[in-house]
């Protein structure tokens, strides 16, 4: 009988923190200066205010000024020493082309794909209307939220990302033609000019 060498035991010391995951990925990508940048809580968002059954968010966002998007001239790609570890994904429904107010039926759910670079990192994720909710902005208008508890997904510097989303009625599962917006929020890394220049 052949003897096999046992696999070495893995040493896991508690939960991995957001900052540790960011630094681990940064080191794997050869981004050694990322550890000197400023950590922060970060929220980015984009919205499509023309109703459709399928919306692509963040792609082309550099052409949508605030308040339609808060990404600015770089659009769906962070600068050299910027990153975002996504901890929550939220969807909302703008009520008009100006993107300043929210409304919509309480029974609207969302099915989405999150792509980073040329990889789909969440495929057919579903955020239900009666799940976790946040951002009560206009009385009863809420965002529908998916919490990536204990995992997080990192968007590294200079890599394009986008969300493709379809709205559907929660009770009948029928596709719905809607305006849709998306928040990505979590732990971010921003350029810290005190140490990088």
């Amino acid at each position: 009988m052949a003897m096999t060498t046992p696999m070495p035991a893995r040493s896991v010391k508690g939960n991995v923190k957001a900052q540790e995951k960011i630094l681990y990925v940064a080191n794997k990508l050869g981004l050694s200066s990322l550890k000197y940048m400023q950590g922060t809580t970060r929220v980015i968002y984009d919205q499509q205010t023309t109703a459709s059954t399928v919306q692509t968010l963040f792609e082309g966002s550099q052409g949508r000024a605030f308040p339609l998007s808060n990404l600015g001239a770089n659009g769906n790609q962070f600068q050299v020493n910027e990153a975002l570890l996504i901890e929550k994904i939220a969807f909302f429904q703008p009520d008009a082309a100006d993107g300043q107010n929210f409304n919509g039926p309480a029974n609207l759910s969302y099915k989405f794909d999150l792509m980073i670079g040329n990889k789909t990192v969440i495929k057919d994720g579903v955020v239900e209307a009666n799940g976790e909710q946040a951002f009560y902005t206009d009385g009863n208008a809420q965002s529908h939220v998916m919490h990536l508890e204990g995992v997080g997904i990192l968007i590294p510097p200079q890599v394009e990302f986008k969300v493709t989303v379809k709205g559907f009625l929660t009770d009948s599962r029928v596709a719905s033609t809607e305006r849709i917006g998306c928040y990505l929020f979590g732990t971010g890394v921003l350029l810290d000019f005190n140490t990088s220049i």
Side-chain angles (χ1 to χ4, degrees):
M1 175 178 249
M3 296 292 286
T4 59
T5 306
M7 295 285 290
R10 288 179 45 181
S11 175
V12 178
K13 296 179 173 107
N15 292 334
V16 176
K17 295 179 179 66
Q19 294 86 348
E20 292 168 342
K21 185 169 185 174
I22 291 170
L23 291 176
Y24 175 80
V25 173
N27 286 335
K28 288 289 186 185
L29 295 174
L31 303 170
S32 59
S33 62
L34 201 64
K35 64 185 173 188
Y36 299 114
M37 299 303 114
Q38 175 183 339
T40 185
T41 299
R42 186 153 188 196
V43 178
I44 61 172
Y45 73 90
D46 188 34
Q47 58 188 311
Q48 292 285 359
T49 56
T50 301
S52 177
T53 55
V54 179
Q55 299 283 13
T56 301
L57 301 166
F58 300 105
E59 186 175 65
S61 59
Q62 66 274 13
R64 290 185 286 280
F66 182 82
L68 297 176
S69 179
N70 69 344
L71 289 171
N74 291 321
N76 65 332
Q77 187 175 3
F78 294 124
Q79 294 180 30
V80 175
N81 283 315
E82 293 183 336
L84 174 65
L85 182 71
I86 304 167
E87 296 173 61
K88 291 190 182 209
I89 300 171
F91 294 96
F92 62 93
Q93 190 176 17
D95 74 348
D98 63 8
Q100 295 185 32
N101 294 309
F102 308 102
N103 77 19
N107 66 340
L108 187 66
S109 296
Y110 303 93
K111 180 178 174 183
F112 71 98
D113 296 339
L114 170 62
M115 287 149 278
I116 300 174
N118 60 358
K119 303 289 184 196
T120 301
V121 295
I122 296 180
K123 175 76 174 161
D124 294 334
V126 176
V127 178
E128 297 287 354
N130 296 316
E132 181 182 353
Q133 300 178 351
F135 299 118
Y136 284 85
T137 55
D138 290 349
N140 293 328
Q142 72 275 352
S143 295
H144 307 296
V145 181
M146 175 183 277
H147 182 66
L148 304 175
E149 186 172 354
V151 181
I153 296 173
L154 184 73
I155 301 174
Q158 297 187 306
V159 176
E160 292 185 349
F161 59 94
K162 66 180 178 179
V163 172
T164 303
V165 61
K166 301 174 185 177
F168 62 91
L169 300 176
T170 303
D171 52 357
S172 65
R173 308 313 254 190
V174 174
S176 183
T177 301
E178 304 292 341
R179 300 176 179 102
I180 298 175
C182 179
Y183 287 99
L184 302 177
F185 49 116
T187 301
V189 178
L190 299 176
L191 286 170
D192 182 354
F193 292 109
N194 292 330
T195 58
S196 60
I197 291 182

